[in-house]
Amino acid sequence: MKTLDVSEYLDLESRSLDALAPRQRILKTASELFYRNSIHTVGIDRIIAESGVAKMTFYKHFPSKANLAATYLRHKSALWFDMLATATEQAGPAPLDRVLAIFDALNASFQAPTFRGCPFVRGLAEFGPDAETPEVQATLAAYFHDLRKFVASLVQPLKLKNQESVVVQILALIQGSLVNAQAMRGGVEPLATRDAAKVLLEAAVQRG
């Protein structure tokens, strides 16, 4: 089964449904429906109808709903890491500023009217350890592994003695920020979380 590369995922966001090939039309439609509602509440028939493809075409590209769900999560992961990479690169060379840029990027995403929380946290709730969807669970695990690796790469230049502990704490602030932003729309929580991350990092640098 073909896996879209990052450029193709980004292309889905910029092009209209009519301008896409059938596979991309299915994925774009499913991504919008899954994120706006949930994976479990959106049926295949609705995706087929709204994407404008035949049922045979759907199953040619996605043999199961679980396969489509995993592809959707990879799509979201590609967009998320592209956003983080752009934000941290624009922050400049200072390591502390690069870590804090994560929270600036989050704050910007929270302002979007389409924000519905973290698709990966929601995915964990929908596909628990007893779910018989190994591809979905592997995709979720890969996302959280990659996020930890990304944060660690930003923290590493600070040369902290307790680097691993700081990475875990930053990850907790990121996930907490996402959940709270979904629960408290319009609040000041994202900026408060950035301030908490700054205090944490500055204290860790002072300790060496």
Side-chain angles (χ1 to χ4, degrees):
M1 182 61 61
K2 177 186 175 187
T3 299
L4 301 181
D5 64 25
V6 172
S7 64
E8 289 179 296
Y9 281 125
L10 297 176
D11 199 38
L12 290 182
E13 302 299 303
S14 61
R15 300 175 66 190
S16 68
L17 197 64
D18 292 341
L20 296 172
R23 176 184 168 85
Q24 283 71 36
R25 285 163 59 190
I26 296 166
L27 180 55
K28 183 179 179 71
T29 301
S31 295
E32 292 171 354
L33 290 173
F34 286 163
Y35 186 61
R36 187 167 68 244
N37 301 287
S38 71
I39 295 173
H40 284 333
T41 61
V42 176
I44 288 176
D45 287 344
R46 182 177 179 183
I47 296 168
I48 289 172
E50 295 197 20
S51 64
V53 302
K55 181 171 289 191
M56 185 178 298
T57 301
F58 177 93
Y59 284 107
K60 173 184 175 182
H61 294 290
F62 299 99
S64 67
K65 184 178 177 182
N67 176 259
L68 176 59
T71 307
Y72 152 72
L73 290 168
R74 289 194 290 270
H75 170 213
K76 284 294 187 181
S77 181
L79 297 177
W80 168 240
F81 282 112
D82 181 76
M83 177 187 72
L84 290 185
T86 299
T88 54
E89 288 168 8
Q90 291 177 345
L96 191 146
D97 290 342
R98 287 171 64 83
V99 179
L100 294 179
I102 293 175
F103 297 93
D104 294 330
L106 285 173
N107 187 43
S109 69
F110 296 160
Q111 310 310 312
T114 55
F115 178 73
R116 295 293 186 276
C118 176
F120 310 102
V121 172
R122 291 170 60 183
L124 286 176
E126 290 197 75
F127 297 91
D130 295 329
E132 296 180 359
T133 50
E135 185 180 4
V136 175
Q137 289 163 310
T139 303
L140 288 167
Y143 162 76
F144 287 105
H145 170 81
D146 290 345
L147 180 59
R148 184 175 189 138
K149 185 177 178 180
F150 181 82
V151 172
S153 72
L154 297 178
V155 172
Q156 193 277 331
L158 294 170
K159 300 187 183 304
L160 306 175
K161 292 180 180 178
N162 60 335
Q163 175 176 313
E164 186 60 25
S165 176
V166 170
V167 168
V168 171
Q169 291 168 12
I170 293 295
L171 288 169
L173 288 173
I174 291 171
Q175 298 301 344
S177 179
L178 285 159
V179 173
N180 286 338
Q182 182 181 3
M184 303 164 56
R185 295 302 298 269
V188 297
E189 184 277 332
L191 294 179
T193 304
R194 184 189 191 280
D195 292 341
K198 183 177 181 181
V199 170
L200 167 67
L201 292 167
E202 289 177 341
V205 169
Q206 288 180 358
R207 290 194 299 268

